[in-house]
């Protein structure tokens, strides 16, 4: 058996030497990584600028510097070539300056061409805001807020009216007509606007004032709640279908139940109730104009008038505000006034000889309007969604919405009329009317209930929750 040659044992490396060797290897590795990263970074930057220039064809600052550098290099090389031939240093300097200026002019021309391509020919003209009509109003803070909302939401046609409930004085207003903010409230007195579902107030007022119905009286609900067909007005003798309370039919703006109530009450009593709300009257100075409520004695047209499902019933914003104030204050109808709106509103308080409802009727109307906000069509937007919780909880808010197509101006009419009253101090209260008219085929503005909620919130913040006098 062959024996292995003798090998001397390896000399063991000390611990200090091993640590030193490892440190050397680590430093070398880090240096290599840093060098590789630096190279990749420079290549990426160069490729990024080249790619941006290729895709967009724009003159970036790095490119400009590159052009300047190349221009200087070209000039330097040309000078070097001509140096043996020309000994005049002044001429060389002038030539250098001339060539450099030519290159700079070329760069400027390129930048001008790029700017001309991306700049529109007709730049938008900034809107000039005339605030004279704002400063002349009773409450400048609310007037400015109304103006801001009209400019922000841009309804095609709109009128916003705010009235102090106690004095019945107009404290703020704003109007936008044909997409332009107006300095005069032309829409205040116009009666070409269909009342839409605001006319339902007449029907429940007549029903309660004649002791025919109460807020919780149940009414048959046949078919779709917001349609009105003749078969929805034929109630079988032994009807056992869906029903709805009168206050909920009003709050949700249901058509068939209100039509049935109107047909049961009759045209005469409806007209009497309508007169107490200012319909079919000639006001002093035509402020506002004569509104119309003329239901026939029988038939489908009577049902239409009872639920506001017709453009034949008309209403002006001033009269709508007067109706809400009469309900809230339990007083006879009185048109809102303003000392500085001659020709658009009465300049002083004028009592109207139209009669009054029973106290229970006023109470029922007020509760029905409150239910529209708490459970009905205004619930979504007149809420803590668009109001601070402390403001919402500090107020009693009521109202009525309405929506219908009209012809003068042509479009969809979207109404809100209502009130906001401090629970702690009932003397602090406002009446608010918002009307927006828009094209059904165009862009719809924010809902009137949202505009109303934002304005009520701002008013409460100024005068109710902050204790401002």
């Amino acid at each position: 058996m062959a024996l292995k040659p003798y090998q001397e044992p390896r000399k063991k490396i000390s611990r200090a030497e091993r640590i030193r060797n490892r440190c050397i290897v680590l430093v070398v590795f880090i240096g290599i990584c840093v060098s590789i990263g630096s190279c990749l970074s420079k290549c990426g930057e160069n490729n990024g600028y080249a790619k941006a220039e290729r895709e967009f064809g724009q003159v970036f600052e790095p490119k400009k510097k590159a052009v300047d550098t190349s221009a200087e290099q070209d000039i330097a090389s040309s000078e070097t070539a001509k140096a043996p031939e020309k000994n005049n240093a002044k001429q060389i300097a002038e030539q250098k300056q001339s060539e450099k200026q030519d290159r700079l002019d070329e760069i400027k021309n390129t930048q001008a061409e790029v700017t001309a391509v991306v700049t529109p020919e007709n730049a938008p003209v900034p809107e000039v805001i005339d605030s004279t009509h704002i400063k002349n109003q009773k409450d400048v803070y609310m007037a400015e807020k109304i103006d801001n909302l009209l400019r922000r939401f841009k309804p095609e046609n709109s009128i916003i009216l705010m009235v102090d409930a106690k004095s019945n004085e107009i404290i703020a207003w704003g109007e936008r007509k044909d997409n332009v903010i107006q300095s005069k409230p032309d829409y205040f007195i116009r009666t070409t606007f269909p009342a839409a579902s605001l006319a339902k107030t007449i029907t429940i007022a007549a029903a309660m004032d004649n002791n025919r119905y109460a807020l919780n009286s149940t009414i048959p609900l046949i078919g779709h709640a917001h349609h009105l067909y003749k078969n929805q007005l034929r109630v079988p003798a032994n009807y056992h279908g869906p029903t709805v309370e009168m206050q909920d039919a009003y709050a949700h703006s249901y058509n068939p139940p209100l039509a049935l109530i109107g047909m049961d009450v009759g045209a005469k009593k409806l007209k009497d109730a309508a007169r107490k709300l200012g319909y079919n009257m000639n006001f002093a100075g035509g402020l506002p104009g004569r509104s119309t409520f003329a239901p026939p004695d029988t038939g489908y047209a009577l049902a239409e008038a009872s639920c506001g499902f017709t453009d034949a019933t008309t209403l002006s914003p001033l009269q709508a505000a007067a109706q809400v104030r009469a309900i809230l204050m339990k007083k006879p109808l009185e048109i809102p006034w303003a000392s500085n709106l001659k020709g658009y509103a009465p300049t002083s308080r004028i009592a109207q000889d139209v009669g009054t409802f029973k106290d229970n009727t006023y109470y029922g109307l007020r509760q029905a309007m409150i239910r529209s906000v708490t459970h009905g069509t205004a619930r979504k937007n007149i809420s803590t969604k668009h109001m601070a919780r402390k403001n919402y909880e500090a107020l009693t808010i009521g109202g009525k919405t309405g929506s219908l197509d009209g012809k003068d101006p042509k479009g969809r009419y979207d109404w809100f009329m209502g009130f906001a009253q401090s629970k702690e101090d009932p003397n602090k209260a406002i009446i608010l009317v918002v009307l927006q008219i828009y094209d059904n085929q165009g862009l719809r503005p924010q809902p009137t209930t949202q505009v109303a909620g934002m304005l009520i919130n701002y008013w409460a913040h100024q005068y109710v929750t902050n204790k401002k006098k």
Side-chain angles (χ1 to χ4, degrees):
M1 181 176 179
L3 297 176
K4 293 182 180 180
Y6 173 76
Q7 295 180 353
E8 294 183 0
R10 286 186 177 182
K11 186 178 179 180
K12 188 175 181 180
I13 301 175
S14 65
R15 176 178 175 83
E17 290 179 343
R18 291 199 306 271
I19 294 175
R20 183 192 61 185
N21 294 338
R22 291 173 184 174
C23 291
I24 293 172
V25 172
L26 182 61
V27 170
V28 172
F29 177 74
I30 292 175
I32 294 172
C33 292
V34 170
S35 300
I36 295 173
S38 177
C39 293
L40 292 176
S41 176
K42 290 181 180 179
C43 293
E45 290 178 359
N46 294 334
N47 292 337
Y49 280 115
K51 183 178 179 181
E53 290 173 0
R54 288 195 303 270
E55 291 181 354
F56 301 102
Q58 296 180 351
V59 181
F60 289 88
E61 193 65 25
K63 182 180 178 182
K64 179 179 177 181
K65 292 180 180 178
V67 173
D68 292 345
T69 305
S70 62
E72 292 175 357
Q73 291 175 352
D74 292 341
I75 294 170
S77 62
S78 63
E79 288 176 356
T80 305
K82 296 179 181 179
E85 300 176 0
K86 294 184 180 181
N87 298 322
N88 192 336
K90 184 176 181 181
Q91 292 180 355
I92 295 176
E94 290 178 354
Q95 186 177 359
K96 177 181 177 182
Q97 185 66 26
S98 177
E99 292 182 6
K100 184 176 181 180
Q101 186 63 39
D102 291 341
R103 291 298 181 96
L104 292 176
D105 291 341
E106 182 181 352
I107 293 173
K108 290 181 180 179
N109 292 335
T110 304
Q111 291 176 334
E113 291 176 2
V114 173
T115 304
V117 171
V118 299
T119 303
E121 295 182 1
N122 298 323
V125 179
E127 182 181 6
V128 179
I129 300 177
D130 182 8
S131 59
T132 305
H133 68 287
I134 298 175
K135 297 177 181 178
N136 291 335
Q137 297 189 40
K138 180 76 173 179
D139 191 325
V140 178
Y141 295 105
M142 293 308 308
E144 185 177 17
K145 183 65 174 179
I146 290 173
D147 188 79
N148 289 339
L149 290 181
L150 289 176
R151 296 181 190 276
R152 174 182 172 186
F153 296 141
K154 299 185 182 340
E156 185 176 354
N157 296 281
S158 179
I159 182 71
I160 299 175
L161 170 62
M162 185 174 289
V163 178
D164 178 72
K166 185 177 180 180
S167 65
N168 201 31
E169 183 178 7
I170 299 172
I171 59 176
W173 60 271
E175 180 177 315
R176 184 180 174 92
K177 182 166 66 175
D178 299 328
N179 293 313
V180 178
I181 299 294
Q182 303 295 306
S183 59
K184 297 294 183 181
D186 300 331
Y187 284 163
F188 268 13
I189 59 178
R190 286 184 60 173
T191 55
T192 60
F193 308 143
S197 290
L198 270 58
K200 290 180 171 69
T201 307
I202 302 172
T203 304
I204 67 169
M208 291 186 291
D209 210 45
N210 289 278
N211 299 323
R212 300 292 296 270
Y213 293 86
L215 288 176
N216 59 355
S217 297
T218 56
I219 317 296
L221 178 58
I222 302 174
H224 196 286
H226 294 102
H227 291 168
L228 187 65
Y229 298 106
K230 291 183 178 180
N231 64 334
Q232 293 178 287
L233 306 176
R234 304 187 187 101
V235 183
N238 298 321
Y239 179 77
H240 298 290
T243 61
V244 62
E245 292 185 358
M246 186 176 71
Q247 60 181 348
D248 288 324
Y250 179 85
H252 292 281
S253 208
Y254 292 163
N255 287 327
L258 270 298
L260 291 173
I261 293 174
M263 296 177 70
D264 183 44
V265 171
K268 183 179 183 304
K269 293 178 180 178
L270 288 174
K271 290 178 182 178
D272 291 341
R275 180 173 176 78
K276 295 176 182 178
L277 293 173
Y279 287 94
N280 305 323
M281 285 189 60
N282 295 322
F283 296 99
L287 303 173
R290 182 185 177 92
S291 60
T292 304
F293 180 76
D297 292 336
T298 58
Y300 180 74
L302 173 60
E304 285 183 318
S306 300
C307 64
F309 201 67
T310 173
D311 60 1
T313 301
T314 60
L315 183 65
S316 66
L318 271 183
Q319 187 176 332
Q323 292 176 3
V324 177
R325 180 182 181 269
I327 294 170
L328 179 64
M329 306 301 290
K330 299 182 180 179
K331 292 183 177 180
L333 189 84
E334 184 179 312
I335 302 299
W337 64 280
S339 58
N340 59 349
L341 288 176
K342 187 176 181 180
Y344 301 98
T347 55
S348 61
R349 301 182 66 168
I350 303 175
Q352 306 294 333
D353 185 18
V354 295
T356 58
F357 294 112
K358 298 175 181 178
D359 287 345
N360 287 340
T361 301
Y362 282 121
Y363 172 81
L365 290 170
R366 183 176 184 273
Q367 292 303 116
M369 296 182 80
I370 292 173
R371 196 164 184 82
S372 294
V373 173
T374 58
H375 293 79
T377 53
R379 178 183 180 181
K380 179 179 178 180
N381 291 312
I382 303 182
S383 63
T384 53
K385 181 179 180 180
H386 299 292
M387 297 180 64
R389 183 172 295 277
K390 66 174 183 177
N391 295 336
Y392 181 77
E393 293 177 350
L395 300 173
T396 300
I397 307 173
K400 184 71 186 84
T401 63
S403 184
L404 194 68
D405 291 336
K407 301 174 183 176
D408 187 15
K410 185 178 181 181
R412 186 74 171 181
Y413 288 69
D414 196 6
W415 282 95
F416 172 82
M417 68 174 189
F419 63 86
Q421 187 176 39
S422 171
K423 294 179 180 178
E424 183 178 344
D425 183 6
N427 287 324
K428 290 183 178 180
I430 57 165
I431 309 300
L432 183 62
V433 175
V434 182
L435 170 61
Q436 294 183 146
I437 309 163
Y438 57 90
D439 183 1
N440 271 331
Q441 305 301 321
L443 181 64
R444 178 177 177 176
Q446 300 298 322
T448 55
T449 49
Q450 178 178 337
V451 177
M454 296 172 74
L455 288 173
I456 292 172
N457 180 67
Y458 187 76
W459 171 79
H461 178 73
Q462 294 291 321
Y463 300 106
V464 179
T465 56
N466 279 355
K467 310 296 182 183
K468 185 175 179 179
K469 301 297 182 183

